[in-house]
Amino acid sequence: MKIKIETKDRYLFGKLFFELTDMPGVSVTDGGDYDILFSDDGGEISATLPGGETCGVLPRDYALGAAAALVTRAHTPGLSIDAAGKCAVLSGERIKLTDIEYKIYSLLFSAGGGYVSGEEIINSVWGGDGSRGRLNVYIHYLREKLERGGRRVISSSRGGGYALIFGEETKNDKTH
């Protein structure tokens, strides 16, 4: 996969370059032929496909791993994230999330489909002051907002935690 980065900020270029070139099969190009273009408008970083469709937006102070997670899912239909707007994007539809819902969603999103333990979510979102019951309530809220038309978006595993499903899985495909 070829990625092009357009920014005058050398620090930002270096951060993106080193994060993205560490991904297997990814190279940064300065030519016109690319799979994803990262462009910096001074406030945020937009990632677009060659046809001009935005596949994600990152704030300039994005957390390490967010750009790689965005690239991993750029060609996957379904889920993405709008970090600037604190929204989940589901099949092109922006879904506004509360601050806590967004923190949980972005943590799951950055895991790239891997499971994140309940304890890790509680520590990250509430600084360890949350409870499993509180987490379950917010997972329920996220499911209500994201799981429409029979599509599963959040998978749970007893003892394994929670994960986002980036493919086209229906609620009948799995029991959890």
Side-chain angles (χ1 to χ4, degrees), residues 115-128:
Y115 282 90
V116 180
S117 73
E119 293 77 27
E120 185 178 344
I121 296 171
I122 290 167
N123 288 334
S124 178
V125 174
W126 292 285

Side-chain angles (χ1 to χ4, degrees), residues 16-42:
L16 284 165
F17 179 85
F18 288 114
E19 178 176 351
L20 298 172
T21 55
D22 279 347
M23 296 178 64
V26 171
S27 63
V28 175
T29 180
D30 54 3
D33 194 25
Y34 59 87
D35 295 303
I36 300 175
L37 167 68
F38 281 86
S39 58
D40 172 29
D41 73 357

Side-chain angles (χ1 to χ4, degrees), residues 26-176:
V26 171
S27 63
V28 175
T29 180
D30 54 3
D33 194 25
Y34 59 87
D35 295 303
I36 300 175
L37 167 68
F38 281 86
S39 58
D40 172 29
D41 73 357
E44 60 189 21
I45 306 153
S46 293
T48 56
L49 302 174
E53 177 187 349
T54 300
C55 60
V57 178
L58 299 169
R60 285 182 57 83
D61 61 344
Y62 75 93
L64 200 59
L70 193 152
V71 168
T72 302
R73 287 172 288 292
H75 295 287
T76 303
L79 294 177
S80 62
I81 192 167
D82 176 353
K86 291 191 176 182
C87 294
V89 182
L90 180 61
S91 300
E93 178 188 358
R94 291 169 43 104
I95 300 166
K96 188 71 177 154
L97 303 174
T98 67
D99 285 341
I100 291 176
E101 291 167 350
Y102 177 77
K103 287 177 184 178
I104 295 169
Y105 179 76
S106 62
L107 185 63
L108 296 176
F109 189 85
S110 65
Y115 282 90
V116 180
S117 73
E119 293 77 27
E120 185 178 344
I121 296 171
I122 290 167
N123 288 334
S124 178
V125 174
W126 292 285
D129 290 336
S131 67
R132 190 63 121 159
R134 189 181 209 185
L135 173 59
N136 290 339
V137 167
Y138 279 97
I139 292 293
H140 173 77
Y141 293 159
L142 279 171
R143 284 186 167 139
E144 281 186 334
K145 289 182 176 184
L146 301 175
E147 296 184 348
R148 300 178 184 165
R151 177 161 182 214
R152 287 189 69 241
V153 175
I154 300 173
S155 176
S156 58
S157 171
R158 186 165 296 175
Y162 300 93
L164 291 180
I165 301 166
F166 290 99
E168 294 290 330
E169 183 175 326
T170 63
K171 288 184 181 179
N172 296 331
D173 289 341
K174 303 238 181 193
T175 56
H176 285 293

